Amino acid sequence: MPDYAIIKNLCRELKIAVAELMNGEETEEKSVRVYDDEQIMDLLKRTQELEKQKNLLYSILLIVMGIALQALSQTLGGSVVKDFLSGLLLGISVGEMLVGVYFVGRNIAGR
């Protein structure tokens, strides 16, 4: 879905109403609209804001899970297998935290 900020301009260029764009079809002249363009625009804006918040929450969850795995990796050790598992968990935790930080930064930048 395009950014909600450009939808009005798009509708103006296409010479259609926002409701027609959202429905995907032209409205008949005799039809009654139960919502107006401003309500639809507000709904689209809120939907996109919620999507950004959800992505930010997932990113933060990745960072927290990475920290938890790093703490777990510190508790293992003592034998060859445990050392391997500890290193594996440490690597996965660093990867998770890096991905989480990348997506947090991307979300904050507004992409």
Side-chain angles (χ1 to χ4, degrees):
M1 179 184 323
D3 186 23
Y4 77 94
I6 65 168
I7 288 181
K8 277 194 169 185
N9 294 334
L10 177 64
C11 289
R12 185 175 33 246
E13 290 296 321
L14 295 174
K15 296 181 175 102
I16 61 174
V18 175
E20 291 174 333
L21 180 68
M22 293 293 111
N23 289 337
E25 59 187 30
E26 292 183 32
T27 55
E28 298 177 17
E29 291 182 24
K30 295 181 181 181
S31 70
V32 177
R33 291 190 349 188
V34 293
Y35 44 81
D36 65 358
D37 290 350
E38 292 304 316
Q39 289 173 325
I40 294 172
M41 294 301 296
D42 186 49
L43 179 64
L44 289 173
K45 179 181 176 184
R46 289 179 188 211
T47 302
Q48 287 183 345
E49 287 174 0
L50 286 174
E51 188 69 28
K52 285 181 182 179
Q53 289 175 355
K54 180 185 79 166
N55 290 340
L56 183 62
L57 181 65
Y58 285 154
S59 302
I60 292 172
L61 183 64
L62 269 176
I63 294 170
V64 170
M65 285 176 44
I67 292 170
L69 278 179
Q70 187 174 15
L72 182 64
S73 75
Q74 299 299 319
T75 62
L76 295 176
S79 71
V80 174
V81 174
K82 287 183 178 181
D83 286 341
F84 172 76
L85 289 176
S86 174
L88 183 65
L89 287 177
L90 183 62
I92 292 172
S93 71
V94 169
E96 274 186 334
M97 287 187 287
L98 287 175
V99 169
V101 167
Y102 170 76
F103 283 114
V104 165
R106 197 172 134 196
N107 196 337
I108 290 173
R111 290 185 186 176

